[in-house]
Amino acid sequence: YLNTVYSGSFTATFEILKAQPEYTVPTDISGTQHSTLGSVKLPAGFSWEEPETVLSETGELSATVTYTPADTQNYETVTGIKVLLTVEAPLKGDVNLDGNVDITDASLVLKYYAHIGAGIDFAFSEEENTNQLMIKLADIDEDGIISITDAGYILTYYARTGAGIDAAWEDIIKL
């Protein structure tokens, strides 16, 4: 039998690529008409690809998000994820756009009123479209002035709905 000895070396270079992360496409997302995608909250790790898009129509809207995993050293960022968003008409008096008319909204109106009354600029939001929407929703009697009266209307609405009493704005303004 033949006794052969081989010797030598081998060098190789290889690259470990980032893995594709696992994620669940967000569902049950809703926004308010006339606000922007950027004002609509998404689950952790997700961001809107076009946050400046104004939600001009009510109904369902398809938009794209990016998923950025917590571990970006080992996992890829995923772009172009399609999500469905329900755009709802804004609720008068819902100044903070959380879907409810409550004491927080009245407090924001009072804060606005106090700042303007003291000659201090005040904006509900840094985003101009959202700020204009919030101003419109805060002016309950639609007199062009956000006042303590508007805060009172919001508190009345909140009290009536909390007590299970019909709370039509027209009736509240007449009180």
Side-chain angles (χ1 to χ4, degrees), residues 42-115:
L42 288 168
F46 289 92
S47 60
W48 295 107
E49 292 188 3
E50 296 180 12
E52 69 284 348
T53 300
V54 175
L55 305 174
S56 56
E57 302 288 328
T58 59
E60 282 201 343
L61 170 74
S62 177
T64 53
V65 297
T66 295
Y67 177 70
T68 305
D71 179 0
T72 56
Q73 187 172 356
N74 294 306
Y75 292 93
E76 292 283 348
T77 296
V78 182
T79 60
I81 302 166
K82 298 280 186 207
V83 297
L84 281 178
L85 164 80
T86 302
V87 181
E88 301 166 346
L91 182 60
K92 188 177 207 168
D94 180 18
V95 182
N96 65 355
L97 303 174
D98 69 352
N100 300 301
V101 176
D102 55 27
I103 196 165
T104 304
D105 300 301
S107 177
L108 281 171
V109 169
L110 291 172
K111 185 174 182 180
Y112 182 95
Y113 176 73
H115 277 79

Side-chain angles (χ1 to χ4, degrees), residues 4 15 39 51 87 121 168:
T4 307
E15 179 182 359
S39 67
V87 181
D121 286 339

